[in-house]
Amino acid sequence: MSDLIGYLLTGLGIGAGFALVGSGLVAIYRVTRVVNFAQGAFAVLAAMLTSSLLGAGLPHGVAEVGGVVLGALAGLIVGVIAIGRPGTSPGTSLIVTLGLGVLAYAVEVLIWGDQPRSFPGVSGVAEVGGARLPAHYLLILAVTAPVFLVMAWFFARTDLGRALSACASNRYAAQVVGIDVRRMGLLAFAIGGALGGLAGVLTTPVQQVTFDSDVTLIVNGFAAAVLGGLTRPMVALAGGLLLGVAQTLAAGYGGGAYQMEVALVLMLTVMIIQAARTGPVPETA
């Protein structure tokens, strides 16, 4: 029983990272209708910079904030390139983000090399229900919960959040009432970058990061986001937590080689169910 509790808590901590990446995808897609395949790169860049800042002697907190800021700046830069030109289709922007994600590999290897990097997080071991696990997993959960609460408040209660939600609901109507849809799209990319960066700085102390770690992050983050149709951040949170627990249980009881397969199977299952509910697209004459 203690093993099960440990797997569940560890899975929730890992899943919180997936949820942050997934919510970044959702924040961008619901405003721009662009699936940002550079989302995982924001987490890697933030983690790499945080490692360097800590190595240079900066204290915890300052270094992590620096990593998140870099993630937000990277998101803004990707947004400018992907959607900055008026008339760019979502399909074209998607290809641009994919290319920028590959370019990020070269930048990361050039600056930080190709060796795994990590940095210390919360030290010590926590005991919950007889299960022992690194205390840092509890920090991940403690940070992720208020982040999603703040996001819910921001989108529902602030003028800027309502403007973003208006663009997500009806871009044309938002333009009619004077909302700058392009500017909102760039802001969405910055928010997505910050969420990805936060995922990177939170999970790197328990999972080493390399220049190609973005593949795992984007697959799992996309799987979490798909549960909500790429439009609902809170459902992405539930999807990320479910995915993290499922992968941890699969690793604990069936072997770690099946973790990626769990994400792919979950994602495909949800997409098939959603397609079945939508029904076939009617043919046009």
Side-chain angles (χ1 to χ4, degrees):
M1 187 63 183
S2 61
D3 287 343
L4 176 61
I5 294 173
Y7 292 147
L8 290 175
L9 291 174
T10 301
L12 289 174
I14 294 173
F18 298 159
L20 288 168
V21 174
S23 64
L25 284 167
V26 169
I28 294 169
Y29 179 83
R30 67 199 300 262
V31 176
T32 66
R33 291 299 183 262
V34 175
V35 178
N36 175 33
F37 280 109
Q39 186 68 26
F42 303 154
V44 175
L45 286 169
M48 294 286 193
L49 178 64
T50 301
S51 175
S52 295
L53 293 178
L54 289 171
L58 268 69
H60 278 289
V62 175
E64 283 83 354
V65 169
V68 174
V69 169
L70 176 62
L73 289 175
L76 181 60
I77 292 170
V78 170
V80 169
I81 298 173
I83 66 169
R85 183 177 180 181
T88 305
S89 68
T92 300
S93 297
L94 182 153
I95 298 300
V96 171
T97 66
L98 182 61
L100 291 173
V102 175
L103 176 63
Y105 282 8
V107 174
E108 290 154 5
V109 172
L110 180 65
I111 298 175
W112 291 287
D114 59 356
Q115 297 302 307
R117 297 178 73 94
S118 186
F119 51 84
V122 175
S123 60
V125 175
E127 185 169 345
V128 180
R132 295 170 60 84
L133 70 157
H136 190 82
Y137 283 109
L138 301 182
L139 174 67
I140 296 174
L141 294 173
V143 172
T144 301
V147 165
F148 275 88
L149 290 176
V150 169
M151 285 178 57
W153 170 82
F154 172 75
F155 284 115
R157 301 292 183 181
T158 67
D159 291 339
L160 189 57
R162 291 188 184 115
L164 287 166
S165 298
C167 294
S169 299
N170 190 318
R171 290 172 60 86
Y172 177 73
Q175 287 177 314
V176 168
V177 299
I179 296 174
D180 189 331
V181 175
R182 175 179 170 274
R183 184 174 296 178
M184 292 299 103
L186 294 177
L187 176 60
F189 265 94
I191 293 172
L195 290 169
L198 181 60
V201 301
L202 283 176
T203 59
T204 298
V206 292
Q207 293 184 322
Q208 287 185 327
V209 66
T210 62
F211 70 94
D212 58 352
S213 294
D214 67 309
V215 175
T216 300
L217 291 168
I218 190 64
V219 169
N220 288 290
F222 186 71
V226 161
L227 286 176
L230 287 170
T231 57
R232 292 178 288 177
M234 297 306 292
V235 180
L237 171 61
L241 296 178
L242 174 63
L243 185 59
V245 169
Q247 288 193 1
T248 304
L249 291 175
Y253 293 114
Y258 301 104
Q259 288 179 295
M260 184 66 74
E261 285 76 2
V262 170
L264 294 174
V265 169
L266 178 62
M267 180 170 56
L268 290 173
T269 301
V270 171
M271 293 175 71
I272 291 170
I273 293 173
Q274 290 177 343
R277 287 179 176 177
T278 304
V281 178
E283 294 183 1
T284 57

